[in-house]
Amino acid sequence: MHGIEGLLAVGVDAMGLKVTDQQLGQLTTYVEMMAKWNQVYNLTAIRDKNAMVSRHILDSLTLVPHVSGERLLDVGSGPGLPGIPLAIMFPERQFSVLDCNGKKTRFMTQAKTALGLKNVTVENRRVEEWQIETGFNEITSRAFSSLEDMVTGTSHLLAEGGRWLAMKGIHPDEELAQLQAVRPDVQLVKSIQLSVPGCDGERHLVILGFSGN
């Protein structure tokens, strides 16, 4: 096993995750598609496919042990991160990937079709203006500017008892303090330091929920 697929296989194994040959193939195709589209549409600042494996795919897959809901929203998804890698890993769960950038949602739609992901819905809209009947069990993001913005912009989309899974670099102590001051109804459930094979720098997962849930 060589190239992108080999890098993915080594990384996934180092993380203690189990993937089928089909899933490994889907993740590989996704990287190849992202690199190809990136030449024209500027989906991500990372140009090198090998770097995409660690900094995008393996980084997204650090959420795998922490996903528990049946319906998950990835907001500000960009080219589909972490939503599409998670949808590949959890074909039995339903994922919505949302971004207001039309080029990025067109790419996600193309990726969904090419990868055969029947459990993915692509939304090209502003999250603050989106209204739905049934809330999501979990809402995740790698790209929101602050925890306060994430909670404020998406709280109307969270189901009762739901959680936010916010992916961060260094531990966001200031953001948590600001969130507590503005939204005392939201509490920190857990903060987890993440380890991404091939990536330097700190990574954290901050899990939030409504107080009393």
Side-chain angles (χ1 to χ4, degrees):
M1 197 179 293
H2 301 287
I4 298 302
E5 190 171 32
L7 278 176
L8 281 164
V10 169
V12 166
D13 186 61
M15 295 169 72
L17 301 177
K18 303 294 183 196
V19 292
T20 64
D21 289 344
Q22 179 184 354
Q23 289 169 324
L24 198 58
Q26 287 173 307
L27 291 169
T28 302
T29 299
Y30 178 56
V31 173
E32 299 285 1
M33 286 185 68
M34 193 160 30
K36 183 177 179 181
W37 275 60
N38 208 33
Q39 294 171 3
V40 179
Y41 289 105
N42 195 29
L43 300 174
T44 165
I46 297 172
R47 300 289 176 190
D48 180 70
K49 285 192 281 191
N50 293 353
M52 284 181 180
V53 169
S54 56
R55 294 179 63 184
H56 283 333
I57 308 304
L58 299 182
D59 184 65
S60 295
L61 296 184
T62 58
L63 281 186
V64 167
H66 310 290
V67 170
S68 58
E70 292 304 310
R71 299 183 71 244
L72 188 140
L73 168 64
D74 176 25
V75 64
S77 189
L81 300 162
I84 287 179
L86 291 177
I88 290 170
M89 297 296 287
F90 294 109
E92 75 283 3
R93 302 178 196 269
Q94 296 300 312
F95 291 83
S96 290
V97 288
L98 180 147
D99 204 281
C100 61
N101 182 304
K103 291 176 182 177
K104 292 175 180 177
T105 52
R106 281 194 290 279
F107 169 73
M108 289 193 281
T109 300
Q110 190 70 29
K112 168 191 170 175
T113 302
L115 301 172
L117 297 176
K118 294 182 170 60
N119 61 332
V120 171
T121 303
V122 179
E123 299 288 345
N124 177 210
R125 60 176 80 233
R126 291 183 60 81
V127 67
E128 298 86 354
E129 299 163 0
W130 192 26
Q131 299 296 326
I132 56 173
E133 290 185 11
T134 306
F136 291 93
N137 306 115
E138 288 166 338
I139 297 176
T140 187
S141 180
R142 292 172 85 223
F144 251 92
S145 56
S146 73
L147 294 175
E148 181 188 344
D149 287 347
M150 182 179 181
V151 167
T152 301
T154 64
S155 56
H156 64 293
L157 301 174
L158 196 67
E160 186 175 351
R163 309 184 305 165
W164 287 276
L165 306 178
M167 302 183 77
K168 291 288 181 179
I170 61 171
H171 195 264
D173 295 305
E174 288 184 19
E175 288 184 32
L176 285 166
Q178 178 66 21
L179 177 66
Q180 193 63 50
V182 177
R183 293 294 299 262
D185 58 325
V186 174
Q187 65 182 2
L188 175 65
V189 176
K190 191 185 293 185
S191 179
I192 302 156
Q193 186 159 1
L194 303 172
S195 177
V196 185
C199 278
D200 296 327
E202 289 186 41
R203 296 293 286 153
H204 287 86
L205 171 63
V206 175
I207 302 177
L208 305 167
F210 283 115
S211 303
N213 277 349

